[in-house]
Amino acid sequence: MGMLDLVLIWAFIIGFGIIMYVVMDGFDLGMGILFPFAPTEEDRDTMMNSVAPVWDGNETWLVLGGAGLLAAFPLVYTTILPALYIGVFLLLAGLIFRGIAFEFRFKASTSRYLWNWAFAGGSTLAAFAQGAVVGAYIQGFEVTDGVYTGGALDWLSPFTILTGFGLLAGYALLGSTWLIMKTEGRLQEWAYRITIPLLLGVLGVFVIISIWTPFVDEMVKDRWFSNITVIWILPALTLICAFQIFRSVRNRFEGMPFVATLGLFIFTYLGLIVSRWPYVVPPDITLWDAASAYDSQLFLLIGLVFVIPVVLAYTAWTYWVFRGKVRAGEGYH
Amino acid sequence: MELDPLILSRIQFAFVVSFHAIFPVFTIGLASYIAVLEGLAFKTKNPSWVKLSAFWTRVFAVVFGMGVVSGIVMSFQFGTNWSNFAQATANFLGPMLSYEVVTAFFLEAAFLGVLLFGRDKVPPGVHLFAAVMVATGTFISSFWILSANSWMHTPAGTEFRDGVFFVTSWSEAIFNPSFPYRFTHMVLASFLTGGFVVAGVSAWYLLKGREVEANRKALSMCLWLLLVIAPTQAVVGDFHGLNTMEHQPMKVAAMEGNWETSRNVPLLLFAIPDQANQTNRFEIAIPSLASFILTHEWDGEVPGLNEVAAEEQPPVAIVFWSFRVMVGLGLLMIVFAFAGLVLRAGGRYWQTPWFLQGLRLMSLTPFVAVLAGWFVTEIGRAPWLVQGLMNHSEAVTPSLTGGMALFSLIGYFVVYALVFSAGVYYLMRVLYVGMEDSDIDKEYGSDRPKRPFSAAHVPFDIDDNGTHKPLNQGGH
């Protein structure tokens, strides 16, 4: 090693990739979770139209994150994926159904209801699995000599079921605030209406997790109740975001609810990171333990230095092209 | 019976990869074909070329879309089922797979949109450029994947220390000894796949008398292409085989069904390998021919399976028969390519019913041949996952139980069966609608990029009134 600590750079890249995936695929998964409850079929068309042009790009972050994790932190990849075996299968199965539904629903008439179910079911399954994965991560993994030694269903516990429902509510909240921003009329009214209950659901899960986690894990407790008091700014900011969602929905602001929900996700995510830093496979494998060879990290980094700006620019451009409201039966203009 | 997670994981990996592989094999060949059509359209301004290109671009869109969805699963398989393998090889395979993802992203993000939706929006030269870049992108993508795969067969440029591979030379590892052969063999297989599918579909349209002029052109070019590629593939396959004999002699021994190292080894046309008794039953053979093919000398020495212990031999029957299926179909392809040449005199190639019917059936053979060839090379490597250094049982995830592996195997099977049925059904509709309806392109025109299937413009189903009300996903 020596010259440059690539591990930190890679930790930043992977961490950034994960939050990009979570917030971006989050709102389109949220669309699927809300899908069955939409007021009319026409509104469902509008909902799908609002995410159809971007979901594919959102998924890029997942694949890039998966491959990047293998390249930069193989030990994370090879301990967590076996630990979450069944969960990963459910996640992928959900994403496949969701992805195929996107393609076929636009082409179907009589079979459209089937694709509706595939879209809603796939999205809900994928979101729940992701939430359970987060919970399993907080819980920690049974690892001996760099190999997962726990059971097949260790990841599924009352705690992870709670986080699963928590993320379902969180993604639905991202979805409803996205709709507030992107639609108008009846659908927007509906989105305004469901946002506060969803927010309360998310906050409820937050509160339970915040009380529960210190009991589940000694290390997290030490971190939060030790002398590093500055980290309390993160839950404070999370609460400010929650309040902001509440206020902006009441005042019928259109963009702010979504922005505040993004803030809610980002600060929660940072809170999760500071709880664990520098352990990347809880409870006791650090980033440096998990890293691949310096050479390998460098070899890939050289390529990514060129690629990541392009990915970001392309993403920004896509969202710019599709800015503005989406209307039923008409698409953008 | 105890469920074996190792066997189930191998079946699962074979299933997932086989399912995924048929899409890129087709899209690599088709992308090049579209680029050629675009070039011809650009140069000659003949509307037939535009019509053909627009139609095959629609097919490409659907196949590409299916490939993307099935590909998501692939990058997670190494971690879930083969975690020890992933841990050991991550220093090399991690960057390779990441570069592949990145290349695929570039292809999709920057150029696919222009190719699929840009025909009337960008200057013809830019559209042609996009087509060429999409074709190039498919090659670069397969470059990384085949390099990674070849390295597992002929690991070079790495050092195996404490159970982990460290890269000592990136150039030696990437351009490992079997890579050039494997890459060339695969690229030609992709061209054969694209060529026979286009030929088969064109033949079907000609039998129906649809768009005769355009489809005659398409069939003619395919036959010229196949006339060059099909025999070339046989030669490249021979070189690939010699390379394999050098690095993986037991694979070649299994392909030949040769149990004992010896000279004057016959070429077996038919045999039932009996691994329990280390012999063949019901042999039909041509004397000394295997020696001649593999060593180019009639009495050349050919390695036999007896050089390693029985448990270190690959499953001989599967490799032996897969190899014969691949070679047999390859020879059939050469026959059709030459039949096309013979029938060319007087333009009979597009009006000889048996030939056109034959080509229709032949459009499925490249997929079978590719899968058979893939079985030969991957199963023939057994019991090694990284040749000579890591075997399957060392590679499998330690915590994996038979129950988990069975659950996910059945799960993936069900998911893929549903997805694949919908995909094939839809592809058939796209082919059925054909190229006559290319006017709908205008109706659906839009000034923004969309998802791949949007380029297909074909309804999935028809409602009770016999009409289709598509969701308007575009602008105006």
Side-chain angles (χ1 to χ4, degrees):
Chain A
M1 243 178 44
M3 322 149 245
L4 195 61
D5 199 347
L6 289 184
V7 173
L8 287 177
I9 296 176
W10 270 104
F12 178 79
I13 293 176
I14 300 285
F16 180 72
I18 291 173
I19 190 67
M20 283 297 280
Y21 170 75
V22 167
V23 297
M24 293 173 70
D25 215 22
F27 71 78
D28 60 49
L29 286 170
M31 211 60 56
I33 297 164
L34 297 174
F35 215 54
F37 311 105
T40 66
E41 187 67 15
E42 196 188 18
D43 292 327
R44 279 191 266 275
D45 296 352
T46 310
M47 286 165 78
M48 206 176 220
N49 267 326
S50 78
V51 293
V54 291
W55 81 273
D56 208 3
N58 298 347
E59 212 109 298
T60 305
W61 293 99
L62 179 68
V63 183
L64 205 56
L69 197 60
L70 173 62
F73 298 107
L75 196 59
V76 179
Y77 188 86
T78 58
T79 48
I80 293 186
L81 285 185
L84 301 171
Y85 191 85
I86 306 280
V88 169
F89 166 74
L90 295 177
L91 168 64
L92 294 174
L95 289 180
I96 289 176
F97 276 116
R98 204 247 331 214
I100 286 291
F102 260 116
E103 297 286 9
F104 283 126
R105 188 173 179 277
F106 288 108
K107 306 285 175 196
S109 332
T110 47
S111 63
R112 193 168 293 163
Y113 74 100
L114 285 176
W115 302 113
N116 283 349
W117 282 113
F119 181 56
S123 303
T124 306
L125 185 63
F128 180 82
Q130 287 179 17
V133 164
V134 175
Y137 191 78
I138 298 174
Q139 237 173 223
F141 302 99
E142 195 185 318
V143 174
T144 318
D145 296 332
V147 169
Y148 176 70
T149 45
L153 292 174
D154 286 10
W155 63 277
L156 195 67
S157 67
F159 183 71
T160 59
I161 290 171
L162 177 74
T163 55
F165 280 110
L167 198 65
L168 268 184
Y171 280 172
L173 181 66
L174 267 174
S176 73
T177 53
W178 166 264
L179 284 177
I180 289 173
M181 185 168 67
K182 298 296 283 185
T183 66
E184 53 198 8
R186 179 186 51 204
L187 185 58
Q188 191 191 36
E189 269 314 306
W190 175 73
Y192 271 126
R193 236 181 6 255
I194 60 172
T195 296
I196 299 300
L198 286 172
L199 176 64
L200 293 176
V202 172
L203 288 178
V205 176
F206 272 168
V207 170
I208 302 175
I209 291 175
S210 304
I211 297 170
W212 196 336
T213 310
F215 292 104
V216 173
D217 193 294
E218 196 65 22
M219 194 207 125
V220 174
K221 187 172 150 192
D222 283 352
R223 177 60 49 86
W224 285 96
F225 296 99
S226 70
N227 46 16
I228 322 175
T229 45
V230 66
I231 58 176
W232 283 91
I233 197 166
L234 292 170
L237 286 169
T238 309
L239 284 178
I240 290 173
C241 286
F243 177 72
Q244 189 62 24
I245 299 170
F246 186 71
R247 206 180 65 94
S248 57
V249 166
R250 218 184 40 197
N251 293 335
R252 289 291 189 266
F253 291 158
E254 297 197 320
M256 184 48 81
F258 184 66
V259 174
T261 309
L262 289 184
L264 190 80
F265 266 82
I266 291 168
F267 293 124
T268 311
Y269 178 66
L270 291 175
L272 188 62
I273 291 175
V274 299
S275 301
R276 284 296 179 196
W277 185 271
Y279 296 98
V280 70
V281 181
D284 55 11
I285 295 174
T286 69
L287 281 168
W288 287 268
D289 299 331
S292 61
Y294 182 83
D295 262 11
S296 302
Q297 289 198 334
L298 186 64
F299 181 70
L300 184 57
L301 188 63
I302 293 166
L304 286 192
V305 163
F306 295 97
V307 174
I308 290 180
V310 176
V311 175
L312 287 174
Y314 180 78
T315 307
W317 177 76
T318 319
Y319 280 83
W320 172 252
V321 170
F322 301 112
R323 70 193 180 280
K325 298 280 184 187
V326 53
R327 295 182 183 86
E330 164 176 322
Y332 293 79
H333 212 147
Chain B
M1 196 188 84
E2 187 72 17
L3 289 167
D4 181 1
L6 177 59
I7 297 288
L8 290 168
S9 290
R10 289 181 63 184
I11 295 172
Q12 179 166 320
F13 198 76
F15 173 69
V16 171
V17 181
S18 304
F19 182 89
H20 177 68
I22 54 178
F23 298 107
V25 155
F26 184 32
T27 49
I28 293 166
L30 200 53
S32 294
Y33 181 60
I34 291 168
V36 170
L37 289 172
E38 283 295 320
L40 289 167
F42 182 76
K43 202 161 165 257
T44 66
K45 311 286 178 219
N46 184 326
S48 287
W49 299 125
V50 179
K51 203 172 250 185
L52 281 171
S53 179
F55 170 70
W56 285 106
T57 304
R58 267 181 258 161
V59 174
F60 180 83
V62 176
V63 179
F64 186 87
M66 302 287 296
V68 168
V69 172
S70 68
I72 294 177
V73 174
M74 290 302 312
S75 69
F76 290 91
Q77 283 282 303
F78 298 112
T80 50
N81 290 65
W82 304 98
S83 70
N84 278 359
F85 166 74
Q87 177 62 28
T89 57
N91 284 332
F92 177 62
L93 294 189
M96 292 292 105
L97 297 179
S98 300
Y99 270 115
E100 196 276 336
V101 171
V102 159
T103 319
F105 168 81
F106 262 108
L107 147 76
E108 186 177 357
F111 300 109
L112 189 65
V114 179
L115 174 66
L116 297 185
F117 308 108
R119 187 178 302 282
D120 302 320
K121 316 289 186 306
V122 298
V126 175
H127 196 244
L128 169 62
F129 179 73
V132 172
M133 290 314 288
V134 167
T136 312
T138 60
F139 287 119
I140 300 175
S141 264
S142 47
F143 169 88
W144 296 110
I145 289 299
L146 284 171
S147 170
N149 178 263
S150 295
W151 176 85
M152 291 160 67
H153 292 269
T154 50
T158 51
E159 192 183 36
F160 195 40
R161 242 189 295 137
D162 305 326
V164 175
F165 290 92
F166 292 88
V167 179
T168 52
S169 162
W170 288 97
S171 58
E172 279 176 36
I174 294 172
F175 298 97
N176 56 77
S178 65
F179 170 70
Y181 303 94
R182 214 177 290 281
F183 185 65
T184 314
H185 201 46
M186 197 68 188
V187 166
L188 292 178
S190 301
F191 283 154
L192 283 174
T193 308
F196 271 104
V197 171
V198 173
V201 172
S202 305
W204 179 63
Y205 284 142
L206 287 172
L207 282 166
K208 297 247 170 200
R210 293 172 60 177
E211 292 290 334
V212 174
E213 195 200 335
N215 283 309
R216 253 164 60 186
K217 281 184 188 299
L219 182 55
S220 171
M221 353 172 16
C222 280
L223 290 174
W224 282 124
L225 172 88
L226 296 173
L227 189 62
V228 178
I229 301 289
T232 308
Q233 179 70 308
V235 176
V236 170
D238 181 51
F239 279 110
H240 186 20
L242 296 182
N243 179 267
T244 304
M245 188 160 81
E246 187 184 337
H247 297 281
Q248 299 174 301
M250 289 311 104
K251 187 193 286 183
V252 173
M255 285 153 68
E256 299 296 342
N258 189 31
W259 295 97
E260 277 172 36
T261 303
S262 50
R263 296 179 178 279
N264 293 309
V265 174
L267 183 76
L268 301 177
L269 296 178
F270 182 92
I272 297 176
D274 177 354
Q275 197 146 10
N277 296 313
Q278 299 279 297
T279 184
N280 294 323
R281 288 184 286 150
F282 310 110
E283 279 186 14
I284 301 173
I286 302 175
S288 299
L289 191 56
S291 278
F292 183 74
I293 291 171
L294 287 166
T295 65
H296 298 184
E297 281 166 36
W298 290 106
D299 63 349
E301 188 175 84
V302 174
L305 288 153
N306 67 341
E307 287 190 11
V308 295
E311 61 273 13
E312 281 186 36
Q313 294 168 355
V316 178
I318 303 177
V319 178
F320 179 86
W321 277 108
S322 297
F323 181 63
R324 268 145 197 77
V325 168
M326 176 185 76
V327 172
L329 290 176
L331 293 174
L332 198 60
M333 290 178 197
I334 295 174
V335 168
F336 266 85
F338 278 96
L341 182 67
V342 173
L343 291 172
R344 198 171 276 279
R348 279 177 298 149
Y349 69 89
W350 59 271
Q351 50 194 359
T352 309
W354 68 262
F355 183 62
L356 297 178
Q357 288 289 4
L359 281 176
R360 267 184 72 193
L361 295 174
M362 284 302 287
S363 62
L364 292 176
T365 55
F367 297 103
V368 179
V370 164
L371 288 180
W374 190 74
F375 286 174
V376 171
T377 202
E378 300 303 317
I379 297 173
R381 179 175 49 189
W384 300 109
L385 197 52
V386 181
Q387 182 70 36
L389 295 167
M390 181 177 233
N391 66 31
H392 285 120
S393 57
E394 292 164 336
V396 77
T397 299
S399 61
L400 190 63
T401 63
M404 288 158 77
L406 185 67
F407 168 81
S408 58
L409 175 62
I410 294 172
Y412 282 120
F413 189 79
V414 170
V415 171
Y416 279 17
L418 290 170
V419 167
F420 192 61
S421 313
V424 167
Y425 166 79
Y426 186 62
L427 198 58
M428 289 302 146
R429 282 201 56 82
V430 172
L431 295 178
Y432 183 78
V433 168
M435 55 191 85
E436 285 91 340
D437 284 347
S438 54
D439 287 350
I440 45 182
D441 286 9
K442 308 284 181 293
E443 200 178 302
Y444 279 74
S446 161
D447 53 358
R448 60 205 185 84
K450 286 179 284 193
R451 294 155 306 100
F453 277 29
S454 308
H457 304 314
V458 173
F460 184 83
D461 50 23
I462 305 290
D463 69 19
D464 299 338
N465 307 322
T467 57
H468 171 74
K469 289 189 306 246
L471 286 183
N472 186 346
Q473 191 225 341
H476 307 286

